[in-house]
Amino acid sequence: MSGHNRKQIEKCRTFGIISHPDAGKTTLTEKLLLFGGAIQMAGAVKSRKVERKATSDWMDIEQERGISVTTSVMKFSYRDFEINLLDTPGHRDFSEDTYRVLTAVDSAIMVIDSAKGVEAQTEKLMEVCRMRNTPIITFINKLDRDGLPPLDVIADIEEKLQIECTPFSWPIGMGKNFKGVYNLYRKELQLFTASRQSRERSGTTINDLSDPRLDELLGSQADELREDIDLLEGAANPFEPAQFLNGGQSPVFFGSAVNNFGVKELLDAFVENAPCPGPRETTTREILPGEEPFSGFVFKIQANMNPAHRDRIAFLRICSGKFTRGMKVIHHRVGKEITLANATIFMAQGRTNVEEAYPGDIIGIHNHGTIKIGDTFSSKEPLKFTGIPNFAPKLFRRVILKNPMKSKQLQNGLTQLAEEGAVQVFRPRLGSGYILGAVGELQFEVTMARLKNEYRVDAIYEPVELADARWINCDERKKLDQFISKNQAGIFLDAEDCLTYLAPSQWHIGYVMEQWPEITFTKIREYV
Ligand code: G4P
C-alpha cells in the first residue's frame, strides 16, 4: 500500500444514522454538517425532509430524485478526517435501501428520543447492523424536554437491542431543569443554554466532583450529579474499544440536537473511536482496503432524472485501491470491461476538481440498467463481495394487468425494478401472476408509477393475504420436494429464481418451521 493511500484510509469514516422517525436524525445530520463547514447543505437536508413529507404523487418523487442523489452521500471534513455520511431513508420512503445502505457503512450513530426509548424502526435497523457487527455510538436526544430517567433509557437499549452501553457523558436534570452534561472521560462540565444558532460551547474542566465550583454552577443539582456519578462508577461498564469495534458495546452521549448541544462531543468521540474502512469478505477471500487493485460493490441503485432514458446511478462503495476518473474496471457478473469516465464523485464542501476516491468513499456510476445491486467491480481479479442481501418483505400486493397485451412489458419492467432493488417480485411456482413484496409502502407507489411511465404498463394492485416471507432450502432434495408439494399455495420464485415461502401471518411461519425442522427458512438472501 502506498503511504498516501494509507493516510486516506485511516482518516476516512463512513457511517449512517439509525433512528425511528422524529427522534432527531435530520436535525442531528444538519448539526454534524455544520461542524464540517457544509452550511448550505445543512439547510438542504431540512428542506428535503419537508419535501419528502409533502411528497404525494409520482411527479413529486420524480422532482426529488435530483436532490436525493446529492444527499444520498453527504461528504464533509472535520479536523483532519474525511467523513461520508450515507443517508438512511426513514419516513415514508423507508425501503430496503435503508437496510442495504447499512451494509456499506463502517459504523453507525443511533439516535434515541429520551422520552420514547427504543422504538420499532431502530430495532429493525439494529438487526441489520448486527449482521456485520457494526460499531454503534448512541446519542440520546431531546434532553431539553422531559423524558425517561437516563438509567431507564440505557436499560431499555441494553434489553431491547442486546448491546452493552457505556456512558461517555451524563445529563444533569432534564426538561426545564436541564443544566447540561458532564463528560466522564474529559472530566468536563458543559452547561446548557437553549439556542438553535450557536455552534460551539467551551466547557469547564472539573477534575474532582467535590470542587465547590460545581455548587456555584449547578446549585442544588450539583449533589444530584455527584450521586449519579458515584452510582455509575460502581455500576456502569467501562469503555472497551475492542468490544465497541465488534458491535458489543455502545458509547452513549446525551444532548439536544436542535440546540446543537452535545453534538460536538459526539462527533469528536466518533472520529476518534469509530473504525476506518476495514477488510471485506468476498466469495473467494478477504480484501484489505490497502490492497493496490481497485475493488468495490454496488449497494444501491437510483433511477435518475430522465426516466425516458432509463438512466440509473449505481452507488458503489470502494473497498480497496484508488479510483481515478476514466479508469477501466471489470464488471464481473457480465464479464465486461467498462471505463468509469462519468462517475460521480461525492465531494466535501468547498472542494473542487476531485478526481480520485479511496476505500470508504462512494462513487456513483451512470448506466442504463446494466448494473444490479450486489454487483462487484474490480480492476483485476474476479471477485464477488458478500453481505449485500435481500431482506424478507413484510408488505405484499398482487399486480393485475389491465391490458393483457402488455404482459411482456410488465415482465420487463418488474425484472428491471427488481434488479434495482426498488421492489421484490415473486411468481407462484405453479400458475401465473406476480406478487410484489416491500418493506415500505412507498415502494409500491413508486413501482406502479414507474411501470406506467417507463414501461407503458397499465396495472393496478389487489390486496393479498400475505404478511411475511422466508427463503427456503434443504440439503435433502426429497424433503424439499415434500415441503413444496404440501405447501403449494405458499411456494413462489423470486426475481433470481430462488424458492420462497410466503405466509399469511408470522404465526404460520413459526408453525411450518416447527413442522419442518429439516428445511432452512431465512429472512435474508444474498444476491446471486
Ligand atoms: P427525524 O429526522 O429523526 O425524523 O427527526 P427530525 O430531526 O426531523 O426531528 C423531529 C422533531 O424533533 C422536529 O420537530 C425537531 O425540531 C425536533 N427535535 C430534534 N431534536 C430536538 C431536541 O434536541 N429537542 C427538542 N425539543 N426537539 C428536537 P418538528 O416540530 O417536526 O420540526 P420543527 O418545527 O422543530 O422544525
Side-chain angles (χ1 to χ4, degrees):
M1 173 181 18
S2 72
H4 190 55
N5 264 16
R6 177 178 299 139
K7 186 165 172 285
Q8 300 283 351
I9 295 165
E10 281 169 0
K11 293 293 175 191
C12 174
R13 300 286 180 272
T14 299
F15 80 109
I17 300 183
I18 60 174
S19 70
H20 191 82
D22 280 339
K25 186 186 76 164
T26 311
T27 313
L28 181 67
T29 302
E30 282 198 13
K31 304 300 175 190
L32 291 173
L33 293 177
L34 277 171
F35 282 110
I39 297 160
Q40 295 92 315
M41 282 291 288
V45 178
K46 189 76 190 177
S47 55
R48 178 171 174 230
K49 182 174 164 179
V50 173
E51 275 169 42
R52 273 180 172 178
K53 272 192 175 160
T55 293
S56 56
D57 63 23
W58 170 244
M59 284 315 287
D60 291 338
I61 299 167
E62 188 81 336
Q63 280 166 4
E64 210 194 298
R65 283 175 177 184
I67 311 163
S68 58
V69 168
T70 51
T71 48
S72 288
V73 181
M74 290 164 273
K75 193 172 172 67
F76 61 102
S77 28
Y78 178 68
R79 292 172 28 185
D80 55 347
F81 295 90
E82 290 287 324
I83 304 171
N84 297 307
L85 168 49
L86 308 196
D87 186 31
T88 45
H91 284 249
R92 279 195 74 225
D93 44 4
F94 181 73
S95 69
E96 272 189 277
D97 273 351
T98 315
Y99 289 150
R100 259 187 308 257
V101 162
L102 294 174
T103 66
V105 302
D106 301 311
S107 61
I109 289 181
M110 170 165 77
V111 185
I112 303 271
D113 183 332
S114 74
K116 307 240 175 88
V118 175
E119 296 174 86
Q121 196 158 302
T122 313
E123 281 188 73
K124 285 191 207 166
L125 294 167
M126 184 73 183
E127 256 183 61
V128 180
C129 288
R130 198 165 286 120
M131 285 166 46
R132 294 186 52 248
N133 297 334
T134 307
I136 289 170
I137 299 186
T138 303
F139 184 72
I140 299 178
N141 191 25
K142 306 196 187 179
L143 265 289
D144 59 314
R145 286 202 187 152
D146 284 324
L148 303 164
L151 277 175
D152 289 5
V153 184
I154 286 185
D156 193 44
I157 296 170
E158 293 197 326
E159 194 189 303
K160 290 207 184 110
L161 304 179
Q162 293 295 305
I163 188 166
E164 194 177 281
C165 289
T166 175
F168 269 45
S169 73
W170 198 253
I172 304 149
M174 65 170 82
K176 280 199 196 72
N177 297 322
F178 184 49
K179 286 283 171 355
V181 295
Y182 181 68
N183 188 309
L184 297 159
Y185 284 83
R186 296 203 194 152
K187 309 257 179 240
E188 205 176 81
L189 182 71
Q190 301 279 344
L191 289 179
F192 173 71
T193 40
S195 159
R196 294 195 172 207
Q197 305 302 328
S198 74
R199 293 178 56 176
E200 240 172 281
R201 292 168 179 79
S202 49
T204 315
T205 305
I206 302 219
N207 283 314
D208 180 357
L209 286 173
S210 60
D211 192 328
R213 280 183 305 162
L214 207 61
D215 301 275
E216 279 163 37
L217 294 166
L218 300 177
S220 62
Q221 283 174 274
D223 276 342
E224 252 174 68
L225 175 67
R226 289 186 182 110
E227 278 167 33
D228 280 355
I229 305 293
D230 223 31
L231 190 76
L232 283 178
E233 266 160 15
N237 310 296
F239 176 51
E240 290 185 35
Q243 241 197 301
F244 160 63
L245 292 175
N246 72 24
Q249 191 189 58
S250 177
V252 175
F253 289 83
F254 292 86
S256 169
V258 80
N259 291 293
N260 200 1
F261 185 79
V263 177
K264 185 172 181 295
E265 289 71 29
L266 173 76
L267 184 54
D268 281 323
F270 167 73
V271 293
E272 285 161 20
N273 296 291
C276 65
R280 292 257 162 182
E281 282 298 332
T282 70
T283 49
T284 41
R285 67 183 185 91
E286 196 176 70
I287 303 293
L288 302 173
E291 292 181 28
E292 206 76 46
F294 170 90
S295 69
F297 64 86
V298 173
F299 62 93
K300 169 174 166 150
I301 291 182
Q302 194 160 321
N304 206 4
M305 289 298 277
N306 192 342
H309 294 125
R310 306 234 169 114
D311 189 12
R312 318 267 186 262
I313 295 184
F315 289 80
L316 176 137
R317 159 154 177 149
I318 302 177
C319 297
S320 69
K322 178 166 112 178
F323 165 82
T324 46
R325 195 181 292 288
M327 79 188 296
K328 288 188 166 61
V329 293
I330 303 163
H331 184 191
H332 291 292
R333 186 176 48 84
V334 290
K336 265 199 185 146
E337 190 177 73
I338 63 162
T339 305
L340 295 177
N342 61 348
T344 300
I345 303 180
F346 297 94
M347 284 181 280
Q349 191 74 14
R351 237 34 97 64
T352 47
N353 296 327
V354 176
E355 293 291 305
E356 295 166 353
Y358 295 89
D361 285 340
I362 312 299
I363 54 170
I365 307 172
H366 297 263
N367 68 100
H368 296 285
T370 44
I371 301 177
K372 272 204 321 189
I373 286 177
D375 282 357
T376 297
F377 289 81
S378 76
S379 52
K380 267 200 205 136
E381 183 184 344
L383 291 173
K384 170 97 182 105
F385 283 97
T386 58
I388 310 110
N390 276 297
F391 296 86
K394 295 277 179 202
L395 307 167
F396 300 86
R397 298 277 187 284
R398 189 189 308 282
V399 186
I400 308 285
L401 197 56
K402 279 171 107 180
N403 176 357
M405 301 294 284
K406 296 272 186 173
S407 68
K408 192 79 202 148
Q409 283 88 335
L410 177 67
Q411 190 188 340
N412 283 345
L414 289 179
T415 305
Q416 180 73 55
L417 292 171
E419 283 182 1
E420 279 180 34
V423 77
Q424 291 192 50
V425 179
F426 302 95
R427 288 165 292 124
R429 195 168 156 278
L430 296 179
S432 58
Y434 296 99
I435 301 280
L436 302 190
V439 304
E441 280 287 343
L442 190 69
Q443 289 180 260
F444 293 127
E445 257 175 73
V446 170
T447 300
M448 193 52 92
R450 291 188 55 190
L451 280 175
K452 193 163 180 205
N453 288 330
E454 295 167 41
Y455 299 90
R456 306 280 155 228
V457 171
D458 207 3
I460 50 164
Y461 287 131
E462 216 178 60
V464 275
E465 217 179 296
L466 291 171
D468 212 343
R470 291 289 183 276
W471 282 281
I472 51 173
N473 212 337
C474 182
D475 292 338
E476 229 184 298
R477 184 71 224 186
K478 231 172 97 192
K479 263 277 169 243
L480 190 62
D481 288 341
Q482 265 176 17
F483 177 77
I484 291 171
S485 72
K486 282 269 183 332
N487 294 278
Q488 282 299 358
I491 309 292
F492 289 76
L493 294 170
D494 73 3
E496 291 186 307
D497 282 338
C498 295
L499 277 171
T500 320
Y501 174 66
L502 303 187
S505 72
Q506 217 145 28
W507 178 88
H508 273 84
I509 301 250
Y511 179 76
V512 290
M513 283 174 76
E514 229 178 83
Q515 299 292 308
W516 298 85
E518 304 86 352
I519 310 281
T520 47
F521 295 84
T522 50
K523 273 193 203 176
I524 52 172
R525 180 180 72 69
E526 295 265 331
Y527 278 87
V528 276

